[in-house]
Amino acid sequence: MRAGELVLLDNRAANHDPGVFPSPERFDITRQGLAHLSFGHGAHYCLGAPLARIELLAVFSQLLARFPTMRLAVPVEQLRVRSDAVTGGLTGLPVEW
């Protein structure tokens, strides 16, 4: 990289080091440790990260309590990852209860 060149970072590429994350390609909501780079690092740490963590904790701690029979409405193989956004994510998450 040279001074003045544009650098674009794709956060979907972060957190895939098998030396740090066992089975990094597998989604694991129970994974321990906070060594990930999802919210940036140092001076570039996301200002909204604490709020995002609180919101996610609130939602996930109550979701199954509120909908105990919730399950995917389609096979996992039918879920599609967005390719039109830098942040990724699913195109949809059909559930039923």
Side-chain angles (χ1 to χ4, degrees):
M1 290 180 279
R2 293 182 185 89
E5 287 184 327
L6 175 67
V7 176
L8 178 63
L9 302 176
D10 184 350
N11 66 354
R12 292 177 297 175
N15 310 321
H16 289 269
D17 181 353
V20 178
F21 305 100
S23 302
E25 74 290 346
R26 192 180 94 248
F27 175 73
D28 182 358
I29 197 166
T30 64
R31 195 180 309 270
Q32 298 296 312
L34 295 175
H36 63 78
L37 298 174
S38 298
F39 288 119
H41 181 73
H44 302 285
Y45 187 73
C46 176
L47 292 174
L51 177 59
R53 289 181 193 280
I54 292 168
E55 290 173 338
L56 291 170
L57 180 61
V59 168
F60 289 128
S61 67
Q62 297 300 312
L63 191 61
L64 289 179
R66 175 71 174 90
F67 302 102
T69 60
M70 182 181 286
R71 62 195 171 282
L72 280 175
V74 298
V76 171
E77 297 78 23
Q78 289 184 16
L79 298 177
R80 298 290 170 247
V81 176
R82 290 181 60 167
S83 60
D84 62 343
V86 174
T87 56
L90 296 174
T91 60
L93 185 62
V95 296
E96 58 190 14
W97 58 89

